[in-house]
């Protein structure tokens, strides 16, 4: 009897219900169902994205070369900031950052290598800081727009575009694409909410005026138009006298150069920010260049503009509060190239034709002491510096 009972206790009998096994099998079934759903959603997403890309490429309304928008870059290509590397001291009186080739040189002399940035034409800080928006120089393949982040990571936003202009706050960009003008918002490292309008052959965006874009209709003749995205297509409404526009006053009006009945003579004018760009006030006593280079101080009081004194080409300082029949200007320094960076209401910087930095102090210029150029330290032969405006 003892032996029989021992054999019965030693044999493991199967349970009628196995809770652990049931739980494992149930988990396997749920995992298989989730995997199937995920693969289905991925396939649907791929089809939708592919369809959208095909529609963009095959849009019959698009003519000319297409704009390329690049996605997220490979983090492995991230450049290592080199601010700790010994750098030359800042240039004398340098109030703004400079972009020299693929290197950002801050006003305090720190350097950040941005190897993905090609030859640049303009640069402006990103909204909220943290990097730069860089407009590339014109090439046979068009222009590019880069985002260069403060850690050295560079991303292409646009490639193969025509003329590119940035809003003063860096939150919008406008560009020419084939026969169209486009505007989009800049959010982080993406362009969103683009709008477009057909434009005449040769027309190019010039600058933002509030939420509108100022468009030069013909580079060989006077005439501009304002286009407000989302309010219809661009319409040229009668302006055939405005040659150049230098900037916007605090009240929204513009300062521009207008043609007169004498083809050898032009005038400065305050222009209404309307499609007609009707002059409100003019001053015609200046010899102004037609190159369009100029900039207005942050308070709207002063204008730096290229012109001449007698037969000598100079940059001129104009008191806009005195704009009228007796408008006068004083020589401010050598002629300007590129953009003008006003850092205070009475100080501005620009580059001359040799790539040297010129800092203008309004009080000194008015006292009869024009600004003189100074070399930009650390610039290699063949590289032209670019001022970072708004820095």
């Amino acid at each position: 009897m003892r032996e029989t009972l021992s054999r019965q206790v030693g044999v493991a009998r199967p349970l009628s219900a196995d809770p652990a096994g049931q739980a494992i099998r149930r988990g396997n079934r749920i995992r298989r169902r989730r995997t199937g759903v995920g693969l289905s959603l991925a396939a649907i997403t791929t089809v939708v994205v592919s369809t959208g890309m095909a529609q963009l490429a095959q849009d019959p309304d698009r003519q000319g070369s297409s704009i390329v928008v690049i996605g997220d870059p490979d983090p492995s290509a991230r450049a290592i900031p080199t601010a700790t590397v010994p750098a030359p001291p800042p240039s004398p009186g340098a109030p703004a950052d400079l972009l020299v080739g693929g290197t950002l040189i801050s006003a305090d002399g720190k350097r950040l290598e941005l190897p993905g940035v090609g030859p640049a034409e303009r640069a402006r800080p990103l909204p909220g800081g943290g990097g730069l928006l860089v407009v590339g120089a014109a090439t046979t393949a068009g222009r590019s727009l880069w985002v260069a982040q403060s850690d050295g990571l560079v991303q292409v936003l646009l490639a193969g575009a025509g003329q590119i202009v940035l809003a003063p706050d860096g939150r919008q960009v406008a560009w020419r694409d084939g026969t169209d003008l486009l505007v989009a918002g800049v959010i982080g490292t993406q362009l969103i909410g683009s709008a477009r309008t057909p434009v005449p052959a040769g027309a190019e965006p010039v600058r933002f005026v509030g939420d509108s874009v100022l468009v030069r209709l013909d580079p060989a003749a006077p005439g501009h138009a304002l286009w407000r995205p989302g309010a219809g297509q661009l319409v040229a409404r009668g302006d055939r006298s405005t040659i150049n526009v230098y900037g916007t006053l605090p009240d929204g009006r513009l300062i521009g150069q207008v043609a007169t009945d004498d083809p050898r003579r032009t005038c400065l004018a305050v222009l209404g920010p309307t499609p007609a760009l009707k002059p409100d006030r003019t001053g015609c006593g200046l010899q102004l260049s037609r190159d369009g280079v100029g900039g207005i101080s942050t308070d709207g009081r002063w204008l730096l503009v290229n012109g001449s004194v007698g037969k000598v080409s100079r940059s001129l300082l104009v008191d806009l509060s005195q704009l009228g029949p007796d408008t006068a200007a004083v020589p401010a320094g050598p002629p300007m190239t590129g953009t003008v960076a006003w850092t205070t209401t009475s100080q501005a910087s620009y580059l001359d034709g040799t790539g040297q930095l010129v800092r203008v102090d309004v009080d000194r210029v008015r006292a009869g002491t024009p600004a003189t150029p100074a070399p930009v330290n650390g610039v290699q032969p063949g590289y032209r510096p670019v001022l970072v405006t708004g820095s």
Side-chain angles (χ1 to χ4, degrees):
M1 176 66 70
R2 184 181 299 108
E3 182 179 354
T4 301
L5 292 176
S6 299
R7 284 197 300 268
Q8 289 178 351
V9 171
V11 176
R13 299 184 181 276
L15 296 175
S16 59
D18 184 4
Q22 291 177 353
I24 293 172
R25 288 190 293 273
R26 187 183 307 114
N28 289 336
R29 287 196 300 271
I30 293 172
R31 184 166 57 252
R32 285 194 295 270
R33 283 199 298 269
R34 288 179 177 175
T35 301
V37 171
L39 291 174
S40 300
L41 290 175
I44 294 172
T45 302
T46 302
V47 171
V48 171
V49 172
S50 301
T51 303
M53 293 298 291
Q55 290 175 348
L56 178 61
Q58 299 172 6
D59 186 349
D61 294 333
R62 293 174 57 88
Q63 299 180 10
S65 61
S66 61
I67 295 298
V68 179
V69 181
I70 308 299
D72 291 336
D74 181 0
S76 64
R78 185 185 302 267
I80 299 175
T82 57
T84 58
V85 175
S91 300
D97 296 343
L98 288 163
L99 187 62
V100 182
T103 303
L104 175 65
I105 304 177
S106 65
D108 58 4
K110 293 182 180 178
R111 300 166 67 92
L112 177 65
E113 300 298 330
L114 303 171
V117 172
E121 191 173 80
R122 294 185 303 281
R124 178 174 292 278
L126 282 169
L132 298 177
L133 284 170
V134 182
V135 177
T139 67
T140 55
R143 297 177 186 271
S144 297
L145 176 65
W146 294 281
V147 171
Q149 299 183 45
S150 57
D151 60 358
L153 179 64
V154 175
Q155 180 177 347
V156 180
L157 288 185
L158 294 173
Q163 184 67 262
I164 299 174
V165 297
L166 301 173
D169 60 4
R171 298 185 184 278
Q172 295 186 88
V173 57
W175 70 95
R176 175 76 187 248
D177 176 18
T179 60
D180 290 346
L181 173 67
L182 289 87
V183 171
V186 180
I187 301 295
T189 58
Q190 299 182 29
L191 300 182
I192 65 169
S194 63
R196 69 169 62 223
T197 182
V199 291
E204 292 184 336
V206 174
R207 66 175 63 246
F208 278 84
V209 179
D211 291 329
S212 299
V213 181
L214 182 71
V215 182
R216 182 159 190 169
L217 301 173
D218 185 344
H224 290 73
L226 281 171
W227 174 55
R228 185 177 180 85
Q233 296 185 348
L234 173 72
V235 178
R237 297 185 177 177
D239 172 44
R240 291 295 182 268
S241 65
T242 304
I243 301 172
N244 294 300
V245 174
Y246 301 114
T248 306
L249 298 174
D251 62 5
R253 294 180 298 168
L254 309 175
I255 296 295
Q257 180 187 21
V258 296
T260 67
D261 294 335
D262 184 349
R264 298 169 299 179
R265 184 186 185 202
T266 64
C267 300
L268 275 178
V270 179
L271 308 171
T274 64
L277 296 176
K278 182 179 178 180
D280 294 335
R281 188 159 45 99
T282 58
C284 300
L286 306 174
Q287 294 177 285
L288 300 175
S289 168
R290 290 178 178 249
D291 61 9
V293 180
I296 301 173
S297 62
T298 54
D299 61 353
R301 170 74 184 276
W302 305 102
L303 168 69
L304 272 175
V305 62
N306 276 345
S308 59
V309 179
K311 295 183 179 180
V312 180
S313 296
R314 305 289 287 173
S315 63
L316 304 176
L317 179 67
V318 182
D319 186 351
L320 295 176
S321 68
Q322 303 297 319
L323 187 63
D326 299 323
T327 300
V330 292
M336 303 177 289
T337 60
T339 56
V340 182
W342 283 91
T343 53
T344 71
T345 57
S346 61
Q347 292 185 329
S349 296
Y350 65 86
L351 297 168
D352 69 3
T354 64
Q356 297 192 88
L357 183 67
V358 182
R359 183 180 182 185
V360 175
D361 183 277
V362 169
D363 293 334
R364 289 176 57 83
V365 168
R366 295 181 69 196
T369 306
T372 56
V376 177
N377 294 323
V379 178
Q380 300 297 322
Y383 286 96
R384 181 176 181 81
V386 173
L387 273 177
V388 180
T389 57
S391 63

